[in-house]
Amino acid sequence: MSYLISIKTAIILFPFIAFIFTIPFILSQYHKYGAIHWFRVLIIYTFILYLISIYFLVILPLPTFEEALKNTGPYYNFIPFNFIKDFLRETSLVITNPSTYLDALMDPCFYVVIFNIFMTIPFGMYLRYYFKCSFRKTVFYTFLLSLFFELTQGSSLYSIYPNPYRLCDIDDLILNTLGGALGYPIMGLFMKILPTRETIDEESLIKGQVVSGLRRLTIFFLDLFIYFILMGFISIFTKSSFLIAFIIYYIIIPIIFNNQTLGMKFLNVKMSFNKNNILKIIFRNTFIFLYYFFLPFWFLIGIAIGVNSLIHLNLKALFMIISIFSVLVFYLTNILIILIKGKIYYDKLFKFEFISTIKLTKED
């Protein structure tokens, strides 16, 4: 039952942990390949879910402080293969009597041993298939993972509890490491039917030759993030940080770096115009800034001025709600257009497009 609670908790928390991981994952994929391969997403996120699940299996259910205090030990077992003695002592197994074998295998003592092996078999499979680890590395990394789990238990959950509530057991370390070692050859049975890591990388690089809508939005928000950092730094020295940061980041830097902002350079994208690059950079980036920031801002100010002239309080609230909703629809509509089409109407106005600078041969 505790196993099911641990897995259920992992599934509930997975979306939140995955969300934290998503931004750096997207940035790294666009930086390396220029595209996000669906199968890579499946591998990475199932790997994250798997790690969360086995971690919660190690620490859950959490006891109360009073329950932890009542646990008087033993807290540690440093005698290897003690689980064999426990199995022989606690089960009805009689070596000379085959009729006792089945009952012994159904004993909970046997389940614990098998579970500790099975728990890390997927880890060994992931390490071989996606991370391309050798057998030695697979065994070593599985050992480190298991050591982390045992130290977590032995440290009273990082000293949160007054004393350990789970046994820090060298046998678990041995069995977990064995599980990872078994996962390595088991993965070999599936290698022929699954796409290779090289195939995934190659397909990603080919797909990365086209700048997708999501990649374009990622560039926009990454540039905005860097811009605000620059603006914050400049604000230390002058009150005109908003304008100065805009000129430096969205005009001077793209001119110096061959039609690329720092965000575009990191994500391997550049701006392309049919002619007059410098003027088009100035006009386009100024237009976008006014379009996405000043236009909605002044729209809300205009609505606020109009609302203040109203007498009825309900009408004031209604107009403000409608105005805020309109701005949200404005942003959402533009985002959806870019996501779906990869382009937006003002691209034609400036005869502009994004060009991917990703090379088809990736250096590891």
Side-chain angles (χ1 to χ4, degrees):
M1 186 66 179
S2 62
Y3 295 158
L4 294 176
I5 293 173
S6 300
I7 294 173
K8 181 180 178 180
T9 304
I11 293 173
I12 292 172
L13 292 180
F14 170 72
F16 302 99
I17 298 174
F19 176 77
I20 295 172
F21 179 79
T22 293
I23 294 175
F25 175 72
I26 289 175
L27 292 174
S28 66
Q29 292 304 295
Y30 282 141
H31 174 68
K32 291 181 180 179
Y33 309 104
I36 300 174
H37 197 287
W38 70 270
F39 198 67
R40 195 193 308 276
V41 173
L42 179 64
I43 294 169
I44 295 298
Y45 280 88
T46 54
F47 185 59
I48 293 173
L49 177 59
Y50 161 71
L51 290 178
I52 298 170
S53 298
I54 59 175
Y55 179 72
F56 284 148
L57 286 169
V58 169
I59 69 169
L60 295 181
L62 296 175
T64 63
F65 278 83
E66 291 75 17
E67 289 171 339
L69 282 171
K70 291 178 182 178
N71 181 21
T72 57
Y75 302 132
Y76 308 97
N77 170 44
F78 298 118
I79 303 174
F81 304 108
N82 202 43
F83 69 90
I84 297 176
K85 295 180 182 179
D86 293 339
F87 180 73
L88 294 175
R89 183 179 64 252
E90 297 177 15
T91 65
S92 58
L93 177 68
V94 178
I95 300 296
T96 57
N97 185 1
S99 64
T100 63
Y101 291 178
L102 183 59
D103 289 338
L105 294 178
M106 299 297 291
D107 193 277
C109 184
F110 178 74
Y111 290 160
V112 173
V113 173
I114 293 300
F115 171 76
N116 277 300
I117 296 174
F118 276 37
M119 189 173 78
T120 50
I121 286 177
F123 190 69
M125 297 174 70
Y126 276 108
L127 289 184
R128 179 177 183 179
Y129 173 62
Y130 185 75
F131 298 99
K132 301 172 67 175
C133 291
S134 64
F135 179 74
R136 286 185 178 182
K137 285 186 176 180
T138 299
V139 172
F140 178 66
Y141 290 144
T142 308
F143 170 81
L144 291 180
L145 178 69
S146 180
L147 181 62
F148 166 70
F149 289 154
E150 296 310 309
L151 291 176
T152 296
Q153 293 175 328
S155 65
S156 309
L157 194 59
Y158 322 118
S159 299
I160 294 175
Y161 286 94
N163 52 262
Y165 62 92
R166 292 277 184 91
L167 179 67
C168 177
D169 195 346
I170 192 173
D171 283 343
D172 290 349
L173 189 62
I174 295 170
L175 294 170
N176 290 160
T177 304
L178 175 61
L182 290 175
Y184 188 89
I186 290 174
M187 189 66 239
L189 302 175
F190 300 94
M191 296 283 279
K192 292 182 179 180
I193 61 175
L194 292 173
T196 64
R197 170 71 181 272
E198 290 76 14
T199 299
I200 296 172
D201 291 348
E202 184 181 350
E203 290 178 357
S204 298
L205 290 169
I206 293 172
K207 188 178 178 182
Q209 301 306 299
V210 177
V211 180
S212 66
L214 180 58
R215 189 174 173 190
R216 178 170 177 161
L217 285 174
T218 304
I219 293 168
F220 178 84
F221 287 110
L222 179 59
D223 278 333
L224 195 62
F225 176 74
I226 300 172
Y227 164 77
F228 281 128
I229 293 176
L230 177 63
M231 187 176 69
F233 176 75
I234 294 174
S235 66
I236 299 173
F237 308 99
T238 177
K239 294 181 179 180
S240 303
S241 58
F242 186 87
L243 179 61
I244 294 173
F246 171 77
I247 294 172
I248 292 174
Y249 190 79
Y250 285 101
I251 295 177
I252 295 177
I253 288 178
I255 292 173
I256 294 175
F257 289 100
N258 191 26
N259 298 350
Q260 290 179 302
T261 61
L262 298 181
M264 292 176 194
K265 197 168 187 67
F266 180 77
L267 297 178
N268 294 294
V269 170
K270 65 182 295 185
M271 295 178 284
S272 176
F273 303 93
N274 63 339
K275 59 181 180 179
N276 298 326
N277 282 8
I278 295 177
L279 289 176
K280 289 289 179 63
I281 287 173
I282 295 172
F283 290 143
R284 177 187 178 274
N285 289 348
T286 301
F287 171 83
I288 290 176
F289 229 74
L290 293 173
Y291 181 72
Y292 285 109
F293 295 100
F294 282 90
L295 179 63
F297 177 75
W298 285 108
F299 173 77
L300 289 175
I301 288 179
I303 291 294
I305 293 172
V307 166
N308 287 334
S309 65
L310 296 173
I311 299 175
H312 201 287
L313 290 176
N314 290 337
L315 286 178
K316 286 185 177 183
L318 179 62
F319 270 78
M320 288 304 299
I321 291 172
I322 292 174
S323 63
I324 293 172
F325 179 75
S326 300
V327 170
L328 292 176
V329 170
F330 166 79
Y331 283 120
L332 182 61
T333 302
N334 282 275
I335 288 173
L336 289 176
I337 290 172
I338 293 173
L339 278 175
I340 295 171
K341 301 183 68 175
K343 296 181 179 182
I344 197 164
Y345 73 91
Y346 50 72
D347 289 347
K348 292 183 179 180
L349 178 64
F350 297 101
K351 297 181 179 179
F352 159 90
E353 64 177 330
F354 277 121
I355 294 178
S356 176
T357 59
I358 283 286
K359 297 179 181 179
L360 285 175
T361 54
K362 182 179 73 68
E363 296 181 2
D364 293 327

